[in-house]
Amino acid sequence: MNRMTELQPAAVHLSGLVKRFGNGAPAVDDVNLQIAPGELVTLLGPSGCGKTTTLRMIAGLEDPTEGTITIGADEVTHLPAEKRDVTMVFQSYALFPHMNVRANVGYGLKVARRPRAEVTARVDEALALVGLQPYADRPVDALSGGQQQRVALARALVMKPRVVLFDEPLSNLDAKLRHHVRAEIRALQQRLGLTAVYVTHDQEEALAISDRVVVMNSGRIEQQGSPRDLYARPSSHFVADFIGSANILPGQYDGRVIQLGTARIPHVQDMAQGPVGVMVRPEAVHLATSTTTGQGLPAHVVSVSFLGPVNQVVFETAVGVVTTNIDDDAVSGLHPNAAVMLGFAARGLHLLPSPKN
Ligand code: ATP
């Protein structure tokens, strides 16, 4: 029998959570968040926004100043870390370098005085989950960074936690390995139905790995939603800017049409009429053909960079700089200073409350 079927992923509920470290602004300021069993929720935001402090409060490594934390049916707000049935995977791996892989993974079970046969079986199973059985007897410092992070993951899973917490677990890996290990973490989390809270400042990683992304800013939740929602319908400049690439241009909205310089773009959104910030994702922009020229925005090419699958082209327009992606077959005439007309598709356009100051 697969012992991991005994995993009992739990809901997590944060209510009015506040953390103050001194007299200044709170590091975490009234965070309310409900995480469903089996869900992977990412806390995303710039350095200092309070995401790590929030994670550490869930772990029991930091004591909240106000508010409550519930895991499953239990309020755990001030419970010590070891009584919460939660495990954490750290950026630094936090492994014992002098011990082999098996001893590292089994350490928590040994401390909990589980019978030797059970420890062996559970460690074998956890190593199998992360594909590390062949390395069981190697010292951890003889493994690569990616393998060490897998050991850390096995060590977290072996405890059959109700919640797994990830604190920037990929930061020490190079870009290629980061993509690989994040796909592995996501696959395992979905296969086992783990409840997971994941902290990162990397928006691409957050979009790729999450069921739901919570964007934090200055200790507060700025917006939360599925990766697709946040990308398509950010509620503020901060989120639009932070997630994906966005051009945010000043425009006017009359309830049916966006006026963006000389371009008129039909658009329906629940938004007050008047000045707006127009978020234009790169995929919303195309080179206008002669039939749509009257609807377009005149532009000059500033630069063209070949990125492999697409070309990043930067245009100067009367309403600001527009950065976009253009396919290889459309890029040939685009040399610096070339005059073109830009057209806009509905997909990838979204209005924000007011132009950025
Ligand atoms: P990073 O990605 O840089 O870790 P973060 O979003 O995780 O940033 P936190 O580490 O949660 O942010 O920090 C939030 C704020 O709380 C910061 O201003 C930080 O300086 C402060 N802070 C965090 N831990 C402590 C501490 N132990 N003592 C004092 N201030 C702290």
Side-chain angles (χ1 to χ4, degrees):
M1 189 183 101
N2 183 348
R3 282 173 176 274
M4 287 295 162
T5 54
E6 293 167 30
L7 268 166
Q8 305 251 304
V12 178
H13 187 194
L14 311 182
S15 178
L17 207 58
V18 174
K19 179 66 185 181
R20 282 194 193 86
F21 285 107
N23 295 328
V28 174
D29 191 4
D30 192 24
V31 162
N32 295 283
L33 184 61
Q34 194 106 39
I35 300 167
E39 191 180 21
L40 191 157
V41 170
T42 294
L43 308 179
L44 172 70
S47 182
C49 72
K51 52 196 188 297
T52 305
T53 304
T54 304
L55 194 77
R56 288 172 59 81
M57 286 194 280
I58 301 171
L61 301 173
E62 212 73 76
D63 201 31
T65 314
E66 288 171 33
T68 57
I69 302 171
T70 308
I71 296 177
D74 311 318
E75 203 214 296
V76 301
T77 314
H78 301 291
L79 215 59
E82 65 277 11
K83 298 225 166 109
R84 293 188 181 204
D85 207 357
V86 161
T87 54
M88 185 129 150
V89 178
F90 294 92
Q91 171 180 349
S92 59
Y93 320 137
L95 301 172
F96 299 114
H98 56 283
M99 289 186 190
N100 69 19
V101 169
R102 175 178 290 286
N104 267 281
V105 174
Y107 183 79
L109 293 172
K110 211 170 150 200
V111 169
R113 298 183 180 281
R114 304 307 307 167
R116 186 182 296 205
E118 181 189 331
V119 175
T120 305
R122 283 171 64 172
V123 169
D124 282 342
E125 181 193 21
L127 289 176
L129 282 174
V130 300
L132 277 183
Q133 306 104 305
Y135 299 87
D137 300 317
R138 297 246 186 116
V140 289
D141 52 8
L143 301 184
S144 70
Q147 289 167 332
Q148 289 192 33
Q149 194 52 294
R150 272 193 223 131
V151 176
L153 186 58
R155 185 184 54 182
L157 295 176
V158 84
M159 302 308 290
K160 297 181 194 162
R162 293 194 292 174
V163 183
V164 185
L165 307 175
F166 291 92
D167 187 10
E168 305 241 8
L170 309 181
S171 299
N172 286 339
L173 306 178
D174 65 46
K176 217 165 195 169
L177 204 53
R178 244 186 344 251
H179 289 185
H180 187 68
V181 178
R182 95 179 171 205
E184 281 182 354
I185 290 177
R186 178 58 163 161
L188 208 51
Q189 178 269 334
Q190 288 186 309
R191 182 149 65 88
L192 300 176
L194 294 170
T195 305
V197 189
Y198 191 104
V199 160
T200 182
H201 62 268
D202 180 336
Q203 54 90 19
E204 189 204 316
E205 187 174 314
L207 294 183
I209 207 165
S210 312
D211 293 304
R212 185 150 50 106
V213 178
V214 174
V215 181
M216 293 186 69
N217 184 13
S218 305
R220 290 176 163 268
I221 294 179
E222 176 97 7
Q223 190 179 358
Q224 54 174 301
S226 71
R228 278 197 172 76
D229 267 358
L230 288 188
Y231 184 79
R233 287 177 289 281
S235 61
S236 62
H237 288 270
F238 181 84
V239 176
D241 226 7
F242 202 79
I243 296 214
S245 5
N247 304 282
I248 302 176
L249 306 167
Q252 290 282 334
Y253 186 52
D254 68 3
R256 289 176 302 115
V257 172
I258 304 167
Q259 185 85 43
L260 187 62
T262 53
R264 290 178 56 77
I265 310 160
H267 183 86
V268 177
Q269 186 178 331
D270 186 10
M271 172 67 67
Q273 297 183 16
V276 285
V278 185
M279 181 196 77
V280 181
R281 296 286 187 203
E283 60 271 25
V285 186
H286 57 267
L287 298 175
T289 61
S290 54
T291 53
T292 56
T293 299
Q295 307 270 304
L297 179 65
H300 281 90
V301 176
V302 176
S303 64
V304 180
S305 315
F306 176 65
L307 299 184
V310 287
N311 299 274
Q312 184 182 71
V313 184
V314 179
F315 297 99
E316 180 78 52
T317 76
V319 289
V321 169
V322 175
T323 302
T324 185
N325 298 327
I326 305 273
D327 285 342
D328 247 358
D329 47 2
V331 87
S332 54
L334 296 182
H335 48 81
N337 281 328
V340 295
M341 192 65 83
L342 301 181
F344 299 91
R347 188 163 168 266
L349 273 187
H350 184 73
L351 299 180
L352 300 168
S354 62
K356 200 172 192 173
N357 293 318

